[in-house]
Amino acid sequence: MDYESVIGLEVHVQLSTESKIFSGASSHVTDKPNEHVDPVTFGLPGTLPVLNEKVVEFALRLGLALNCDIRRFNRFARKHYFYPDLPKGYQISQYEEPICGHGRLQFRDGEVTRTVGITRIHMEEDAGKSVHSAERQCSLLDLNRAGVPLLEVVSEPDIRSAREAAAYLRALRQLVRYLELSDGNMEEGSLRCDANVSLRPKGEMKFGTRTEIKNLNSFRFVERAIEYEVARQVAILKSGEPIVQETRLFDSESGTTRSMRSKEESADYRYFPDPDLPPLQIEESWINAVRAKLPTLPQEIFQSLIDDYGLSEYDAAVISAEHEYVRFFLEAQEVCKNPKATCNWITSEIFGALKQHGEQFSELRFSPLQLGQLIALIDQDVISGKIAKTVFEELYASGGSPNEIIERRGLKQITDDSAIREMVKEALRSNPEQVAQFREGNAKLLGFFVGQVMKLSKGSANPKLVNDILLEELKS
Amino acid sequence: MTTKANVENLATLSRLLLSSEEKAALTQEVDAILTYVEKLNELDTSNVDPARQVHGVKNVYRKDRLKASQLRDRLLELAPDREGDFIRVPLVINQDGE
Protein backbone atom coordinates (compact mmCIF):
# COMPACT_ATOMS: atom_id res chain seq x y z
CA MET A 1 0.00 0.00 0.00
CA ASP A 2 1.19 3.53 -0.75
CA TYR A 3 1.15 6.04 2.07
CA GLU A 4 0.93 9.80 2.05
CA SER A 5 2.82 11.87 4.67
CA VAL A 6 0.80 14.45 6.58
CA ILE A 7 3.04 17.03 8.24
CA GLY A 8 2.39 20.14 10.29
CA LEU A 9 5.05 22.38 11.83
CA GLU A 10 5.08 24.33 15.08
CA VAL A 11 7.66 27.08 14.88
CA HIS A 12 8.81 29.30 17.74
CA VAL A 13 10.06 32.66 16.52
CA GLN A 14 12.20 34.59 19.00
CA LEU A 15 11.41 38.29 18.65
CA SER A 16 14.15 40.89 18.42
CA THR A 17 12.74 43.34 20.94
CA GLU A 18 14.93 45.43 23.23
CA SER A 19 13.27 44.25 26.44
CA LYS A 20 11.50 41.12 27.63
CA ILE A 21 7.82 40.43 27.05
CA PHE A 22 6.68 41.27 30.59
CA SER A 23 9.49 43.39 32.07
CA GLY A 24 12.18 45.93 31.20
CA ALA A 25 15.10 43.47 31.47
CA SER A 26 17.14 43.17 28.26
CA SER A 27 16.13 40.43 25.83
CA HIS A 28 19.54 40.48 24.14
CA VAL A 29 21.95 37.56 24.14
CA THR A 30 24.88 37.81 26.53
CA ASP A 31 27.65 35.46 27.63
CA LYS A 32 27.26 36.49 31.26
CA PRO A 33 24.87 34.11 33.03
CA ASN A 34 21.90 35.65 34.86
CA GLU A 35 22.82 39.15 33.69
CA HIS A 36 19.44 40.16 32.22
CA VAL A 37 17.25 39.35 35.18
CA ASP A 38 14.89 41.25 37.42
CA PRO A 39 12.22 40.32 40.00
CA VAL A 40 9.68 39.54 37.20
CA THR A 41 12.14 37.18 35.49
CA PHE A 42 12.64 35.41 38.81
CA GLY A 43 8.86 35.20 39.26
CA LEU A 44 9.09 36.56 42.78
CA PRO A 45 5.85 36.84 44.73
CA GLY A 46 4.37 40.33 44.49
CA THR A 47 5.74 41.12 41.04
CA LEU A 48 3.40 41.90 38.17
CA PRO A 49 4.05 41.25 34.49
CA VAL A 50 3.35 44.23 32.17
CA LEU A 51 3.01 43.47 28.47
CA ASN A 52 5.56 44.88 25.99
CA GLU A 53 3.54 46.70 23.31
CA LYS A 54 6.09 45.80 20.62
CA VAL A 55 5.32 42.09 21.02
CA VAL A 56 1.69 42.72 20.06
CA GLU A 57 2.79 44.90 17.15
CA PHE A 58 5.13 42.12 15.92
CA ALA A 59 2.34 39.54 16.28
CA LEU A 60 0.04 41.77 14.22
CA ARG A 61 2.75 42.30 11.62
CA LEU A 62 3.35 38.57 11.18
CA GLY A 63 -0.38 37.78 11.33
CA LEU A 64 -1.24 40.31 8.63
CA ALA A 65 1.67 39.17 6.43
CA LEU A 66 0.31 35.61 6.72
CA ASN A 67 -3.27 36.71 5.89
CA CYS A 68 -4.55 35.74 9.33
CA ASP A 69 -7.72 36.82 11.09
CA ILE A 70 -6.79 39.01 14.04
CA ARG A 71 -8.51 38.32 17.36
CA ARG A 72 -9.74 41.61 18.83
CA PHE A 73 -10.15 40.37 22.38
CA ASN A 74 -7.01 38.69 23.67
CA ARG A 75 -6.12 37.02 26.91
CA PHE A 76 -3.04 35.35 28.31
CA ALA A 77 -3.08 31.96 29.99
CA ARG A 78 -0.83 30.16 32.41
CA LYS A 79 0.64 26.87 31.26
CA HIS A 80 1.91 24.89 34.24
CA TYR A 81 4.82 22.57 34.37
CA PHE A 82 7.62 22.04 36.82
CA TYR A 83 11.07 22.66 35.52
CA PRO A 84 13.77 24.81 37.13
CA ASP A 85 14.28 27.00 34.05
CA LEU A 86 10.72 28.24 34.56
CA PRO A 87 10.94 29.94 37.95
CA LYS A 88 7.22 30.75 38.33
CA GLY A 89 6.13 27.14 37.82
CA TYR A 90 4.15 28.25 34.78
CA GLN A 91 4.77 29.82 31.41
CA ILE A 92 2.65 32.80 30.36
CA SER A 93 1.22 31.92 26.95
CA GLN A 94 -2.04 32.13 25.03
CA TYR A 95 -4.27 29.08 24.90
CA GLU A 96 -7.85 29.23 23.70
CA GLU A 97 -7.56 32.81 22.49
CA PRO A 98 -4.47 33.18 20.26
CA ILE A 99 -3.95 36.59 18.66
CA CYS A 100 -4.00 35.27 15.06
CA GLY A 101 -5.79 32.42 13.30
CA HIS A 102 -6.74 31.08 9.85
CA GLY A 103 -3.86 32.35 7.74
CA ARG A 104 -1.72 30.97 4.95
CA LEU A 105 1.86 31.06 3.77
CA GLN A 106 2.60 30.89 0.07
CA PHE A 107 6.10 29.80 -0.91
CA ARG A 108 8.13 28.13 -3.65
CA ASP A 109 9.26 24.53 -3.34
CA GLY A 110 11.64 24.23 -6.28
CA GLU A 111 9.57 25.02 -9.37
CA VAL A 112 6.14 24.85 -7.71
CA THR A 113 4.24 27.41 -5.69
CA ARG A 114 2.66 25.91 -2.56
CA THR A 115 0.24 27.26 0.02
CA VAL A 116 0.19 25.98 3.59
CA GLY A 117 -2.52 27.01 6.05
CA ILE A 118 -1.62 28.72 9.32
CA THR A 119 -3.76 27.44 12.19
CA ARG A 120 -2.73 30.01 14.77
CA ILE A 121 -0.06 32.38 16.04
CA HIS A 122 0.21 33.09 19.74
CA MET A 123 2.42 35.19 22.03
CA GLU A 124 4.36 33.67 24.90
CA GLU A 125 7.47 33.97 27.03
CA ASP A 126 10.59 31.84 26.62
CA ALA A 127 12.02 29.73 29.46
CA GLY A 128 15.58 29.96 30.79
CA LYS A 129 18.45 27.69 29.90
CA SER A 130 19.91 24.87 31.95
CA VAL A 131 23.23 23.12 31.57
CA HIS A 132 23.35 19.63 33.04
CA SER A 133 26.28 17.83 34.57
CA ALA A 134 25.58 14.15 35.23
CA GLU A 135 29.03 13.71 36.80
CA ARG A 136 28.53 16.41 39.38
CA GLN A 137 24.83 15.59 39.80
CA CYS A 138 23.69 19.16 39.29
CA SER A 139 22.10 21.48 36.74
CA LEU A 140 23.16 25.09 36.28
CA LEU A 141 20.50 27.69 35.50
CA ASP A 142 20.80 30.81 33.44
CA LEU A 143 17.62 32.89 33.33
CA ASN A 144 18.72 35.44 30.70
CA ARG A 145 16.37 33.89 28.15
CA ALA A 146 13.45 33.52 30.58
CA GLY A 147 10.83 36.06 29.53
CA VAL A 148 12.24 36.75 26.05
CA PRO A 149 9.21 37.13 23.73
CA LEU A 150 8.24 34.36 21.31
CA LEU A 151 5.58 33.94 18.66
CA GLU A 152 4.51 30.34 18.11
CA VAL A 153 3.34 29.76 14.54
CA VAL A 154 1.35 26.55 14.07
CA SER A 155 0.71 25.31 10.54
CA GLU A 156 -2.16 23.19 9.26
CA PRO A 157 -1.18 19.59 8.42
CA ASP A 158 -0.88 20.66 4.76
CA ILE A 159 2.74 19.67 4.21
CA ARG A 160 3.34 16.45 2.28
CA SER A 161 7.09 15.83 2.30
CA ALA A 162 10.26 16.47 4.28
CA ARG A 163 11.56 18.69 1.50
CA GLU A 164 8.38 20.75 1.50
CA ALA A 165 8.64 21.14 5.29
CA ALA A 166 12.12 22.61 4.89
CA ALA A 167 10.88 24.92 2.08
CA TYR A 168 8.02 26.11 4.32
CA LEU A 169 10.44 26.80 7.15
CA ARG A 170 12.84 28.70 4.85
CA ALA A 171 9.93 30.82 3.62
CA LEU A 172 8.84 31.56 7.18
CA ARG A 173 12.40 32.51 8.10
CA GLN A 174 12.63 34.77 5.05
CA LEU A 175 9.33 36.41 6.04
CA VAL A 176 10.25 37.15 9.68
CA ARG A 177 13.53 38.68 8.44
CA TYR A 178 11.69 40.84 5.86
CA LEU A 179 9.33 41.94 8.61
CA GLU A 180 12.33 42.72 10.84
CA LEU A 181 10.85 41.01 13.85
CA SER A 182 13.45 38.25 14.32
CA ASP A 183 16.90 37.39 12.98
CA GLY A 184 15.54 33.89 12.19
CA ASN A 185 18.82 32.23 13.15
CA MET A 186 18.09 28.51 13.60
CA GLU A 187 21.50 27.53 14.98
CA GLU A 188 21.22 30.15 17.72
CA GLY A 189 17.64 29.17 18.52
CA SER A 190 15.88 32.27 17.20
CA LEU A 191 13.78 29.87 15.15
CA ARG A 192 12.84 26.53 16.75
CA CYS A 193 10.81 23.88 15.04
CA ASP A 194 8.75 20.85 16.13
CA ALA A 195 7.14 18.62 13.50
CA ASN A 196 3.89 16.62 13.71
CA VAL A 197 4.07 13.64 11.38
CA SER A 198 1.48 11.03 10.48
CA LEU A 199 0.75 8.75 7.54
CA ARG A 200 -2.44 7.71 5.76
CA PRO A 201 -3.15 5.47 2.78
CA LYS A 202 -3.08 7.51 -0.46
CA GLY A 203 -6.59 8.81 -1.20
CA GLU A 204 -7.75 8.46 2.42
CA MET A 205 -9.14 11.67 3.97
CA LYS A 206 -8.92 10.67 7.63
CA PHE A 207 -5.67 11.42 9.44
CA GLY A 208 -3.57 8.65 10.94
CA THR A 209 -2.06 8.71 14.44
CA ARG A 210 0.66 11.34 14.69
CA THR A 211 3.93 11.71 16.52
CA GLU A 212 5.54 14.99 17.46
CA ILE A 213 9.27 15.38 16.84
CA LYS A 214 11.26 17.84 18.91
CA ASN A 215 14.75 19.31 18.79
CA LEU A 216 15.02 20.27 15.11
CA ASN A 217 17.52 23.11 15.11
CA SER A 218 18.59 23.31 11.48
CA PHE A 219 16.87 23.09 8.08
CA ARG A 220 18.83 19.92 7.37
CA PHE A 221 17.73 18.30 10.64
CA VAL A 222 14.08 19.12 9.92
CA GLU A 223 14.38 17.32 6.61
CA ARG A 224 16.36 14.36 7.96
CA ALA A 225 14.17 13.88 11.04
CA ILE A 226 10.95 13.87 8.99
CA GLU A 227 12.43 11.49 6.42
CA TYR A 228 13.46 9.14 9.21
CA GLU A 229 10.13 9.38 10.98
CA VAL A 230 8.12 8.74 7.80
CA ALA A 231 10.23 5.65 7.04
CA ARG A 232 9.82 4.44 10.64
CA GLN A 233 6.04 4.81 10.49
CA VAL A 234 5.81 3.12 7.07
CA ALA A 235 7.68 0.12 8.46
CA ILE A 236 5.36 -0.10 11.50
CA LEU A 237 2.19 0.17 9.40
CA LYS A 238 3.45 -2.40 6.88
CA SER A 239 4.05 -4.83 9.71
CA GLY A 240 0.40 -4.36 10.74
CA GLU A 241 1.19 -2.62 14.05
CA PRO A 242 -0.45 0.63 15.20
CA ILE A 243 1.43 3.94 15.56
CA VAL A 244 1.73 5.12 19.16
CA GLN A 245 0.87 8.79 19.66
CA GLU A 246 3.90 10.22 21.45
CA THR A 247 6.59 12.88 21.52
CA ARG A 248 9.90 11.86 19.98
CA LEU A 249 13.29 13.45 20.20
CA PHE A 250 15.52 13.80 17.14
CA ASP A 251 19.12 12.72 17.69
CA SER A 252 21.25 14.51 15.11
CA GLU A 253 24.24 12.22 15.75
CA SER A 254 22.44 9.05 14.69
CA GLY A 255 19.81 10.73 12.46
CA THR A 256 17.05 8.85 14.30
CA THR A 257 14.11 9.75 16.54
CA ARG A 258 13.37 8.14 19.90
CA SER A 259 10.47 8.17 22.30
CA MET A 260 10.34 10.70 25.16
CA ARG A 261 8.21 8.98 27.76
CA SER A 262 7.85 11.79 30.26
CA LYS A 263 6.07 14.38 28.11
CA GLU A 264 2.98 16.02 29.63
CA GLU A 265 -0.42 15.80 27.95
CA SER A 266 -2.34 19.02 27.30
CA ALA A 267 -4.65 18.46 30.32
CA ASP A 268 -1.59 18.14 32.58
CA TYR A 269 -0.68 21.76 31.90
CA ARG A 270 -3.82 22.97 33.74
CA TYR A 271 -4.16 26.06 31.58
CA PHE A 272 -6.19 28.91 33.01
CA PRO A 273 -6.49 32.64 32.23
CA ASP A 274 -3.68 34.62 33.88
CA PRO A 275 -5.29 37.00 36.38
CA ASP A 276 -2.12 39.13 36.50
CA LEU A 277 -2.55 40.32 32.93
CA PRO A 278 -5.57 42.39 31.90
CA PRO A 279 -7.13 41.43 28.55
CA LEU A 280 -6.23 43.26 25.33
CA GLN A 281 -8.79 44.91 23.15
CA ILE A 282 -7.01 45.41 19.84
CA GLU A 283 -8.47 48.37 17.97
CA GLU A 284 -9.07 48.45 14.23
CA SER A 285 -6.91 51.59 13.98
CA TRP A 286 -3.88 49.74 15.35
CA ILE A 287 -4.34 46.89 12.89
CA ASN A 288 -4.66 49.38 10.01
CA ALA A 289 -1.55 51.25 11.09
CA VAL A 290 0.48 48.02 11.17
CA ARG A 291 -0.94 46.95 7.80
CA ALA A 292 -0.01 50.29 6.23
CA LYS A 293 3.62 49.84 7.27
CA LEU A 294 4.02 46.26 5.99
CA PRO A 295 6.93 45.99 3.52
CA THR A 296 6.50 44.34 0.12
CA LEU A 297 6.55 40.63 0.87
CA PRO A 298 9.05 38.11 -0.53
CA GLN A 299 6.67 36.42 -3.01
CA GLU A 300 5.65 39.76 -4.53
CA ILE A 301 9.26 40.90 -4.80
CA PHE A 302 10.22 37.60 -6.43
CA GLN A 303 7.51 38.04 -9.08
CA SER A 304 8.36 41.69 -9.64
CA LEU A 305 12.05 40.89 -10.19
CA ILE A 306 10.99 38.56 -13.00
CA ASP A 307 8.20 40.65 -14.52
CA ASP A 308 9.54 44.18 -14.07
CA TYR A 309 13.30 43.65 -14.14
CA GLY A 310 13.64 40.68 -16.47
CA LEU A 311 15.60 38.48 -14.05
CA SER A 312 15.50 34.69 -14.39
CA GLU A 313 13.58 32.72 -11.74
CA TYR A 314 16.89 31.56 -10.33
CA ASP A 315 18.32 35.09 -10.02
CA ALA A 316 15.02 36.41 -8.66
CA ALA A 317 15.10 33.74 -5.92
CA VAL A 318 18.71 34.61 -5.00
CA ILE A 319 18.08 38.37 -4.81
CA SER A 320 14.73 38.09 -3.02
CA ALA A 321 16.17 35.71 -0.41
CA GLU A 322 17.08 38.64 1.84
CA HIS A 323 15.51 42.07 2.07
CA GLU A 324 18.92 43.75 2.16
CA TYR A 325 19.85 42.20 -1.22
CA VAL A 326 16.60 43.51 -2.69
CA ARG A 327 17.20 47.04 -1.42
CA PHE A 328 20.77 47.02 -2.71
CA PHE A 329 19.70 45.66 -6.10
CA LEU A 330 16.89 48.18 -6.56
CA GLU A 331 19.00 51.18 -5.60
CA ALA A 332 21.99 50.15 -7.75
CA GLN A 333 19.92 49.38 -10.83
CA GLU A 334 18.12 52.71 -10.44
CA VAL A 335 21.48 54.35 -11.20
CA CYS A 336 22.68 52.18 -14.10
CA LYS A 337 19.34 50.98 -15.50
CA ASN A 338 20.91 47.60 -16.12
CA PRO A 339 19.14 45.09 -13.82
CA LYS A 340 20.78 42.00 -15.29
CA ALA A 341 24.31 43.36 -14.81
CA THR A 342 23.40 44.62 -11.32
CA CYS A 343 22.21 41.15 -10.37
CA ASN A 344 25.40 39.57 -11.73
CA TRP A 345 27.63 42.00 -9.85
CA ILE A 346 25.80 41.27 -6.61
CA THR A 347 25.64 37.51 -6.95
CA SER A 348 29.13 36.90 -8.33
CA GLU A 349 31.46 39.79 -7.39
CA ILE A 350 29.91 40.91 -4.10
CA PHE A 351 28.93 37.46 -2.79
CA GLY A 352 32.32 36.10 -3.94
CA ALA A 353 34.29 38.84 -2.17
CA LEU A 354 32.19 38.49 1.00
CA LYS A 355 32.82 34.76 1.05
CA GLN A 356 36.53 35.23 0.43
CA HIS A 357 36.85 37.77 3.26
CA GLY A 358 34.42 35.99 5.58
CA GLU A 359 32.25 39.11 5.89
CA GLN A 360 28.54 39.81 6.03
CA PHE A 361 26.48 41.71 3.46
CA SER A 362 25.60 44.29 6.10
CA GLU A 363 29.32 45.08 6.49
CA LEU A 364 29.78 46.32 2.89
CA ARG A 365 31.80 49.55 2.82
CA PHE A 366 30.30 50.91 -0.41
CA SER A 367 26.79 51.94 -1.34
CA PRO A 368 24.41 50.60 -3.99
CA LEU A 369 24.76 54.02 -5.65
CA GLN A 370 28.49 53.39 -6.11
CA LEU A 371 27.91 49.93 -7.60
CA GLY A 372 25.35 51.46 -9.95
CA GLN A 373 27.90 54.09 -11.04
CA LEU A 374 30.51 51.43 -11.67
CA ILE A 375 28.16 49.45 -13.91
CA ALA A 376 27.14 52.62 -15.76
CA LEU A 377 30.82 53.37 -16.47
CA ILE A 378 31.20 49.94 -18.09
CA ASP A 379 28.04 50.41 -20.11
CA GLN A 380 29.27 53.83 -21.31
CA ASP A 381 32.61 52.29 -22.41
CA VAL A 382 34.53 54.49 -19.99
CA ILE A 383 36.16 51.39 -18.53
CA SER A 384 36.34 47.75 -19.61
CA GLY A 385 34.83 44.92 -17.59
CA LYS A 386 38.34 43.90 -16.59
CA ILE A 387 39.27 47.35 -15.27
CA ALA A 388 35.92 47.45 -13.50
CA LYS A 389 37.07 44.49 -11.40
CA THR A 390 40.17 46.45 -10.36
CA VAL A 391 37.95 49.39 -9.40
CA PHE A 392 35.65 47.00 -7.54
CA GLU A 393 38.55 45.69 -5.46
CA GLU A 394 39.21 49.18 -4.15
CA LEU A 395 35.50 49.84 -3.74
CA TYR A 396 35.16 46.66 -1.73
CA ALA A 397 38.19 47.44 0.42
CA SER A 398 37.41 51.04 1.26
CA GLY A 399 34.43 52.39 -0.67
CA GLY A 400 34.63 55.64 -2.62
CA SER A 401 33.45 57.09 -5.89
CA PRO A 402 34.22 54.86 -8.90
CA ASN A 403 34.84 57.98 -11.05
CA GLU A 404 37.36 59.32 -8.58
CA ILE A 405 39.13 55.94 -8.33
CA ILE A 406 39.40 55.73 -12.12
CA GLU A 407 40.76 59.29 -12.43
CA ARG A 408 43.21 58.92 -9.58
CA ARG A 409 44.59 55.61 -10.80
CA GLY A 410 44.52 56.51 -14.48
CA LEU A 411 42.27 53.59 -15.37
CA LYS A 412 40.17 55.41 -17.92
CA GLN A 413 39.70 53.41 -21.08
CA ILE A 414 41.62 54.62 -24.12
CA THR A 415 39.06 55.27 -26.83
CA ASP A 416 41.33 57.50 -28.88
CA ASP A 417 41.80 55.85 -32.33
CA SER A 418 45.25 57.25 -33.02
CA ALA A 419 46.63 56.27 -29.60
CA ILE A 420 45.39 52.72 -30.03
CA ARG A 421 46.70 52.58 -33.61
CA GLU A 422 50.17 53.50 -32.28
CA MET A 423 50.05 50.63 -29.81
CA VAL A 424 48.78 48.23 -32.48
CA LYS A 425 51.62 49.17 -34.77
CA GLU A 426 54.13 48.66 -31.99
CA ALA A 427 52.69 45.24 -31.18
CA LEU A 428 52.95 44.18 -34.82
CA ARG A 429 56.50 45.55 -35.14
CA SER A 430 57.72 43.58 -32.11
CA ASN A 431 56.17 40.29 -33.32
CA PRO A 432 57.00 39.91 -37.02
CA GLU A 433 56.93 36.10 -36.89
CA GLN A 434 53.36 35.99 -35.58
CA VAL A 435 52.32 38.60 -38.17
CA ALA A 436 53.65 36.36 -40.93
CA GLN A 437 51.85 33.34 -39.50
CA PHE A 438 48.61 35.28 -39.25
CA ARG A 439 48.86 36.40 -42.84
CA GLU A 440 49.45 32.76 -43.84
CA GLY A 441 46.04 31.95 -42.36
CA ASN A 442 46.52 31.32 -38.61
CA ALA A 443 43.48 33.39 -37.58
CA LYS A 444 43.74 32.26 -33.96
CA LEU A 445 46.69 34.60 -33.48
CA LEU A 446 44.34 37.57 -33.40
CA GLY A 447 43.79 36.87 -29.69
CA PHE A 448 47.53 36.96 -29.11
CA PHE A 449 47.78 40.43 -30.71
CA VAL A 450 44.83 41.72 -28.71
CA GLY A 451 46.62 40.54 -25.59
CA GLN A 452 49.84 42.31 -26.61
CA VAL A 453 48.02 45.60 -27.23
CA MET A 454 46.11 45.33 -23.95
CA LYS A 455 49.41 44.78 -22.19
CA LEU A 456 50.90 47.89 -23.81
CA SER A 457 47.84 49.90 -22.73
CA LYS A 458 48.00 48.42 -19.22
CA GLY A 459 44.52 47.06 -19.76
CA SER A 460 42.88 50.34 -20.49
CA ALA A 461 42.41 50.20 -24.27
CA ASN A 462 38.86 49.68 -25.46
CA PRO A 463 38.92 46.01 -26.55
CA LYS A 464 36.51 46.50 -29.43
CA LEU A 465 38.57 49.32 -30.94
CA VAL A 466 41.75 47.25 -30.48
CA ASN A 467 40.12 44.42 -32.37
CA ASP A 468 38.91 46.61 -35.24
CA ILE A 469 42.18 48.48 -35.66
CA LEU A 470 44.24 45.27 -35.43
CA LEU A 471 42.26 43.74 -38.27
CA GLU A 472 42.71 46.86 -40.38
CA GLU A 473 46.47 46.98 -39.76
CA LEU A 474 46.98 43.25 -40.30
CA LYS A 475 45.15 43.38 -43.61
CA SER A 476 46.98 46.43 -44.90
CA MET B 1 -12.99 11.62 44.00
CA THR B 2 -9.24 11.15 43.92
CA THR B 3 -7.73 7.80 43.35
CA LYS B 4 -4.19 6.81 44.14
CA ALA B 5 -3.28 7.03 40.43
CA ASN B 6 -4.14 10.75 40.44
CA VAL B 7 -1.75 11.43 43.26
CA GLU B 8 0.93 9.44 41.48
CA ASN B 9 0.37 11.47 38.33
CA LEU B 10 0.51 14.73 40.28
CA ALA B 11 3.73 13.59 41.93
CA THR B 12 5.25 12.81 38.53
CA LEU B 13 4.22 16.18 37.10
CA SER B 14 5.58 17.94 40.19
CA ARG B 15 8.82 15.97 40.01
CA LEU B 16 8.27 14.60 43.53
CA LEU B 17 9.34 11.19 44.74
CA LEU B 18 6.76 9.97 47.27
CA SER B 19 6.94 6.94 49.52
CA SER B 20 3.87 4.68 49.59
CA GLU B 21 2.98 6.03 53.05
CA GLU B 22 3.13 9.59 51.73
CA LYS B 23 1.02 8.59 48.74
CA ALA B 24 -1.65 7.07 50.98
CA ALA B 25 -1.68 10.10 53.26
CA LEU B 26 -1.80 12.56 50.38
CA THR B 27 -4.62 10.66 48.71
CA GLN B 28 -6.71 11.15 51.84
CA GLU B 29 -5.75 14.81 52.16
CA VAL B 30 -6.41 15.64 48.51
CA ASP B 31 -9.70 13.76 48.74
CA ALA B 32 -10.75 15.90 51.69
CA ILE B 33 -9.80 19.12 49.90
CA LEU B 34 -11.68 18.11 46.75
CA THR B 35 -14.76 17.11 48.75
CA TYR B 36 -14.73 20.53 50.35
CA VAL B 37 -14.37 22.32 47.00
CA GLU B 38 -17.00 20.03 45.52
CA LYS B 39 -19.59 21.85 47.62
CA LEU B 40 -19.24 24.83 45.30
CA ASN B 41 -20.66 22.74 42.49
CA GLU B 42 -23.96 22.60 44.30
CA LEU B 43 -24.58 26.21 43.29
CA ASP B 44 -26.22 26.85 39.94
CA THR B 45 -23.74 29.05 38.05
CA SER B 46 -25.23 28.62 34.57
CA ASN B 47 -26.15 32.35 34.41
CA VAL B 48 -22.88 33.62 35.89
CA ASP B 49 -20.01 34.75 33.65
CA PRO B 50 -16.64 33.32 34.56
CA ALA B 51 -14.83 35.85 36.78
CA ARG B 52 -11.50 35.89 35.04
CA GLN B 53 -10.80 39.31 36.35
CA VAL B 54 -12.55 41.62 38.79
CA HIS B 55 -11.24 45.14 38.10
CA GLY B 56 -12.34 45.57 34.47
CA VAL B 57 -9.01 47.06 33.42
CA LYS B 58 -7.78 46.28 29.90
CA ASN B 59 -4.96 47.24 27.51
CA VAL B 60 -2.10 47.78 29.92
CA TYR B 61 1.14 48.07 27.97
CA ARG B 62 4.68 49.21 28.44
CA LYS B 63 6.93 50.62 25.71
CA ASP B 64 9.75 48.38 24.52
CA ARG B 65 12.40 50.10 26.61
CA LEU B 66 15.20 48.70 28.73
CA LYS B 67 14.87 49.17 32.41
CA ALA B 68 17.84 47.40 33.89
CA SER B 69 17.16 46.11 37.38
CA GLN B 70 19.36 47.31 40.20
CA LEU B 71 18.47 44.13 42.05
CA ARG B 72 20.39 41.61 39.96
CA ASP B 73 23.02 40.79 42.59
CA ARG B 74 20.48 40.67 45.39
CA LEU B 75 18.28 38.34 43.35
CA LEU B 76 21.20 35.97 42.84
CA GLU B 77 21.90 36.04 46.56
CA LEU B 78 18.39 34.65 47.07
CA ALA B 79 19.31 31.49 45.18
CA PRO B 80 19.72 28.52 47.52
CA ASP B 81 22.91 27.45 45.76
CA ARG B 82 25.23 29.05 43.20
CA GLU B 83 28.16 28.29 40.97
CA GLY B 84 29.64 31.61 39.91
CA ASP B 85 26.74 33.49 38.37
CA PHE B 86 24.79 30.31 37.66
CA ILE B 87 22.06 29.07 39.97
CA ARG B 88 22.81 25.49 40.97
CA VAL B 89 19.95 23.02 41.35
CA PRO B 90 19.76 19.21 41.69
CA LEU B 91 20.27 17.40 38.39
CA VAL B 92 17.03 17.63 36.40
CA ILE B 93 18.07 15.57 33.42
CA ASN B 94 15.94 12.44 32.95
CA GLN B 95 16.43 9.29 30.92
CA ASP B 96 15.36 11.12 27.74
CA GLY B 97 18.27 13.49 27.94
CA GLU B 98 15.80 16.36 28.16
Side-chain angles (χ1 to χ4, degrees), chain B residues 3 7-9 16 18 22 26 34 36 43 47 56 60 82 94:
Chain B
T3 67
V7 168
E8 274 170 2
N9 186 37
L16 294 175
L18 299 180
E22 285 171 319
L26 276 169
L34 287 181
Y36 179 74
L43 291 171
N47 291 319
V60 179
R82 300 253 303 269
N94 57 27

Side-chain angles (χ1 to χ4, degrees), chain A residues 17-21 23-24 26 33-35 38 44 50-53 75 82-84 132-133 136 138-141 249 258 260-262 264 273 278-281 286, chain B residues 9 13-15 52-53 55 57-69 71-72 75-76 78 83 85-98:
Chain A
T17 52
E18 289 298 317
S19 63
K20 292 188 175 180
I21 181 169
S23 76
S26 169
N34 292 305
E35 180 68 9
D38 58 13
L44 291 191
V50 184
L51 180 60
N52 183 342
E53 192 175 36
R75 248 193 286 260
F82 289 93
Y83 207 74
H132 310 292
S133 167
R136 294 185 298 136
C138 71
S139 295
L140 299 177
L141 297 185
L249 196 67
R258 62 191 154 84
M260 279 173 68
R261 270 146 306 208
S262 58
E264 279 92 347
L280 320 179
Q281 180 81 50
W286 195 5
Chain B
N9 186 37
L13 293 174
S14 313
R15 314 283 189 258
R52 293 183 165 112
Q53 190 207 18
H55 45 62
V57 173
K58 54 184 182 183
N59 297 345
V60 179
Y61 299 111
R62 31 174 283 277
K63 294 278 177 207
D64 181 26
R65 291 209 187 98
L66 289 187
K67 194 166 164 252
S69 173
L71 298 170
R72 187 238 178 202
L75 285 168
L76 281 181
L78 292 176
E83 185 170 311
D85 286 336
F86 284 105
I87 298 163
R88 184 160 48 198
V89 296
L91 187 66
V92 285
I93 200 163
N94 57 27
Q95 71 264 45
D96 297 322
E98 259 286 276

Side-chain angles (χ1 to χ4, degrees), chain A residues 38-105:
Chain A
D38 58 13
V40 173
T41 308
F42 266 62
L44 291 191
T47 57
L48 267 186
V50 184
L51 180 60
N52 183 342
E53 192 175 36
K54 197 88 187 177
V55 175
V56 183
E57 187 188 320
F58 281 173
L60 293 177
R61 210 184 277 177
L62 185 58
L64 292 171
L66 288 170
N67 285 296
C68 290
D69 295 338
I70 306 296
R71 180 183 303 275
R72 300 310 168 84
F73 194 78
N74 273 260
R75 248 193 286 260
F76 284 94
R78 293 182 178 182
K79 175 182 183 178
H80 299 81
Y81 60 99
F82 289 93
Y83 207 74
D85 61 16
L86 195 70
K88 295 191 293 300
Y90 58 85
Q91 177 192 28
I92 305 178
S93 181
Q94 291 189 290
Y95 184 49
E96 286 167 314
E97 295 151 317
I99 185 161
C100 309
H102 306 113
R104 59 182 185 278
L105 174 60

Side-chain angles (χ1 to χ4, degrees), chain A residues 224-292:
Chain A
R224 275 176 60 201
I226 294 174
E227 270 165 15
Y228 174 85
E229 183 59 17
V230 167
R232 189 187 73 91
Q233 292 189 15
V234 167
I236 293 174
L237 292 174
K238 288 213 160 135
S239 72
E241 298 289 318
I243 303 291
V244 179
Q245 181 167 347
E246 62 183 352
T247 303
R248 299 180 67 86
L249 196 67
F250 177 63
D251 179 352
S252 57
E253 297 273 307
S254 62
T256 61
T257 66
R258 62 191 154 84
S259 180
M260 279 173 68
R261 270 146 306 208
S262 58
K263 185 77 170 105
E264 279 92 347
E265 297 295 319
S266 174
D268 295 332
Y269 290 127
R270 291 158 290 133
Y271 282 101
F272 65 75
D274 192 325
D276 282 349
L277 285 153
L280 320 179
Q281 180 81 50
I282 297 173
E283 303 299 336
E284 184 83 30
S285 56
W286 195 5
I287 298 174
N288 289 338
V290 173
R291 197 195 308 273

